Amino acid sequence: MQGLIRVAIDGPSGAGKSTIAKAVAKELGLDYIDTGAMYRACGYKMLREGIEAVSSDPLRDMLGRTDIDFSGGSVFLDGENVDDMIRTPEVTKMASACSALPEVRAKLVELQRAIGSRKNVIMDGRDIGTNVLPDAEFKIFLTATPEERAKRRYEEMIAKGMEADYDQVLADINKRDYDDSHRELDPLKKADDAEEVDTTYMSIEEVRDHILNKIKNA
Ligand code: DC
């Protein structure tokens, strides 16, 4: 294929976006860009600096001296690898809250577009096909029922030795779905030209192969 290949994967939390995107990236030699990790890194920095999730001068000042990038599959905040810091419940809440702020979205979308303009990428998030890379060559919208997504997240937490309560995980997923799809700016939404893939009854390999076939047969 000629030119840049950009694959946009959007969908709600727990639909399997990152697992699938990583698998496809590996097969096709694309760079995987986890845009949720960028909102998490931003939220982490806000928590560390005591900055509230509202539009303010301290927030704008902080964003002016923030760089977030990927290398070797890890996310770097101002040069520091923050992979291990950004998956806590506190950061998860802050990432969701800060992702509704116009200053934060403007900054991160600019960084994401810059990354997408210089290399072959598979980027996952909520607004990649609709807003970040509207011209992406391939767009997939991954879904699964909230119950299935809660089950996957619950099993992942248990496997990692974390404490987990299924009902709580389901409640958190429902709340995040609501917040992500009802916020004013770039809400979670399927792009008109994206293909919706319901993964509720599909294995990871089936979803991966479906996307690989779509790209290889294009
Ligand atoms: O995918 P995730 O759970 O790591 O994302 C963290 C938060 O960031 C989530 O609340 C949604 C938000 N987000 C967003 O608003 N836009 C994106 N492109 C990616 C994530």
Side-chain angles (χ1 to χ4, degrees), residues 66-188:
T66 295
D67 184 49
I68 302 173
D69 206 351
F70 288 85
S71 179
S74 291
V75 61
F76 287 80
L77 170 65
D78 303 326
E80 180 194 356
N81 182 329
V82 290
D83 284 346
D84 293 339
M85 274 78 113
I86 59 170
R87 305 281 160 195
T88 64
E90 291 76 21
V91 174
T92 300
K93 281 203 188 79
M94 191 53 143
S96 182
C98 82
S99 72
L101 304 175
E103 296 89 339
V104 170
R105 294 207 78 80
K107 167 85 187 188
L108 297 193
V109 169
E110 182 190 308
L111 290 172
Q112 290 154 12
R113 285 186 181 145
I115 297 171
S117 70
R118 61 173 190 258
K119 48 191 181 188
N120 292 329
V121 290
I122 181 162
M123 206 176 267
D124 82 6
R126 306 294 189 288
D127 62 334
I128 310 305
T130 51
N131 178 48
V132 178
L133 303 175
D135 302 328
E137 284 68 26
F138 301 96
K139 297 184 185 180
I140 309 283
F141 194 77
L142 280 190
T143 61
T145 60
E147 290 74 19
E148 173 64 19
R149 290 185 281 125
K151 178 172 154 268
R152 292 177 190 170
R153 186 55 48 94
Y154 171 82
E155 286 170 356
E156 189 180 279
M157 291 169 81
I158 296 293
K160 282 188 187 156
M162 294 162 78
E163 271 188 39
D165 172 51
Y166 172 82
D167 290 331
Q168 186 59 48
V169 175
L170 179 60
D172 288 349
I173 285 210
N174 279 325
K175 175 168 181 351
R176 281 222 283 158
D177 280 1
Y178 185 88
D179 291 347
D180 289 347
S181 49
H182 285 79
R183 65 163 182 249
E184 213 167 296
L185 286 169
D186 313 329
L188 169 67

